[in-house]
Amino acid sequence: MAKASTTTSPRTNEASKKPAPRETQGAPRASTRAAAYTLSAAREAELLREAESLGDDTVVFPGKLARRVVWSSRIQLAAERDAADLVRTPFAEDEPPLTREQIGALRDKIELLRATQSRWQAAQQRQEQAAATFAKPAVEAALHRQTLLRFFDLRFKKSPEGQKRLMAIRAGSGDADLVQDVSDLLLLCSEHAEALHKAPRGEADAAARLRELSPLLARMLADKTLSPEAQRSRKLRDAAYTLVVHAERRLRAAAEYWYAGTDKMKDYAPFPVSRGAASTGDEEEDEAFAEDGAPESDASAEGAADGGASDGGATEDGESAEDER
């Protein structure tokens, strides 16, 4: 009887030799794929009250939600594994002891961050759509603005007062200034209507079109400006992120007491944040993380755990990233 072949393909051999991602080494098995978890409405409301109580004392969320959630979940699972030690940490007298409930609560805070980020992204997308809608009529209005400024430049050649008004129109820049410029130019057009209608280079048509565009631009400008509701959703997102960071810091402090200098501390390393890497709602992926699910080197994680920064980056225990607010 022929012996069954034991030969495997090169690809199979390659896969078997490939080391496990650093993210999973020494960490609980479920750290990269946590089970589905739903935050109850009552618990969410409770955490939102806690988040709102922070006021302006929040850390700016630096983006990369998917990566951040994996990282925080790993810390939470490591803390659950080590809870018997961590709850016995002798914190300072003015700091309450760590409890198992607080360790478990990090999972709820992670889910709150997911929810608030989703709401902020939805508000941001609506704002971006409004901005895109504003662009076309704004370009047209700018062309008519130039036509009319050329006319009034000539008309006010010997009028210092008129030149001063034109300078004020030209002084600003940006969408809000364009809307105001249109309004100011229409006032000039009304004051010089007879001369405008005699002008031979389409100035009267330009003024007529600006009268149509003016209310449209004003309404679109309001739509593309961040609404109070959107501002609140962003603030809540930052507050939810701050709750996660504060919880992690307490767990990290307890872990430092028990495990400083051991491999276990790698499971509590702060998430590495590049300086100035502010969130705009996108989920950019880093090649090193996409391949390994962890920072570029264990050394960078260890440096972050000590509150330092590698390659010019900042950790979340140091200064927060700047936002585009």
Side-chain angles (χ1 to χ4, degrees):
M1 181 184 250
K3 188 175 181 181
S5 172
T6 57
T7 305
T8 55
S9 70
R11 180 173 295 183
T12 305
N13 284 333
E14 232 176 75
S16 64
K17 292 176 183 175
K18 188 174 180 181
R22 282 188 298 272
E23 181 181 309
T24 61
Q25 294 174 2
R29 280 285 181 185
S31 62
T32 55
R33 291 190 181 277
Y37 184 76
T38 303
L39 188 63
S40 71
R43 179 60 174 146
E44 181 175 349
E46 180 184 351
L47 285 174
L48 282 173
R49 287 192 293 272
E50 184 179 349
E52 289 173 331
S53 72
L54 295 173
D56 294 327
D57 188 21
T58 58
V59 182
V60 175
F61 179 58
K64 305 185 189 305
L65 180 71
R67 294 174 55 188
R68 192 59 179 80
V69 164
V70 168
W71 197 280
S72 297
S73 297
R74 184 181 71 168
I75 292 174
Q76 194 268 328
L77 287 167
E80 284 187 348
R81 176 194 66 199
D82 303 328
D85 289 336
L86 301 184
V87 296
R88 295 187 294 129
T89 304
F91 284 103
E93 290 181 1
D94 60 344
E95 188 172 354
L98 191 62
T99 66
R100 290 180 181 272
E101 290 73 20
Q102 289 171 342
I103 292 172
L106 176 55
R107 192 175 189 184
D108 290 344
K109 292 171 182 177
I110 293 168
E111 291 307 311
L112 180 68
L113 175 58
R114 284 185 194 271
T116 53
Q117 172 70 349
S118 295
R119 290 164 196 158
W120 156 240
Q121 284 183 321
Q124 189 180 40
Q125 285 168 6
R126 288 192 293 270
Q127 180 200 4
E128 288 170 354
Q129 289 168 358
T133 305
F134 180 87
K136 186 176 179 180
V139 169
E140 183 185 354
L143 291 174
H144 296 318
R145 173 182 177 272
Q146 289 304 109
T147 297
L148 293 170
L149 284 173
R150 180 185 61 217
F151 168 79
F152 285 113
D153 279 338
L154 180 61
R155 187 159 184 83
F156 294 148
K157 198 79 172 177
K158 297 180 180 180
S159 170
E161 183 60 31
Q163 290 174 18
K164 187 175 179 180
R165 292 176 72 176
L166 294 181
M167 284 177 62
I169 291 173
R170 285 190 166 101
S173 62
D175 297 336
D177 282 303
L178 175 63
V179 173
Q180 185 59 49
D181 291 348
V182 168
S183 179
D184 294 342
L185 275 171
L186 288 175
L187 179 59
L188 283 175
C189 290
S190 298
E191 294 171 359
H192 300 268
E194 187 175 346
L196 193 71
H197 282 290
K198 293 178 182 178
R201 298 193 61 187
E203 285 87 345
D205 290 339
R209 182 58 180 150
L210 279 187
R211 285 192 186 91
E212 295 174 357
L213 289 174
S214 182
L216 179 66
L217 288 171
R219 178 175 55 78
M220 287 182 168
L221 179 66
D223 289 342
K224 73 186 287 291
T225 302
L226 206 59
S227 67
E229 292 77 18
Q231 291 177 34
R232 181 174 182 273
S233 70
R234 180 173 62 184
K235 187 173 181 180
L236 279 176
R237 185 277 315 271
D238 288 349
Y241 171 64
T242 303
L243 293 181
V244 171
V245 171
H246 286 176
E248 288 180 0
R249 285 176 179 169
R250 245 169 87 75
L251 295 179
R252 192 171 300 116
E256 282 280 0
Y257 173 78
W258 289 98
Y259 312 124
T262 72
D263 285 345
K264 272 192 174 183
M265 277 310 300
K266 292 178 182 178
D267 295 338
Y268 295 92
F271 185 79
V273 179
S274 298
R275 196 178 302 277
S279 170
T280 55
D282 54 354
E283 293 295 326
E284 295 178 4
E285 287 297 336
D286 184 273
E287 271 190 29
F289 193 98
E291 291 175 4
D292 293 340
E296 292 181 3
S297 69
D298 290 339
S300 67
E302 289 168 1
D306 292 333
S310 61
D311 300 328
T315 69
E316 290 169 355
D317 280 349
E319 58 188 89
S320 63
E322 296 175 5
D323 196 6
E324 29 65 66
R325 327 171 179 233

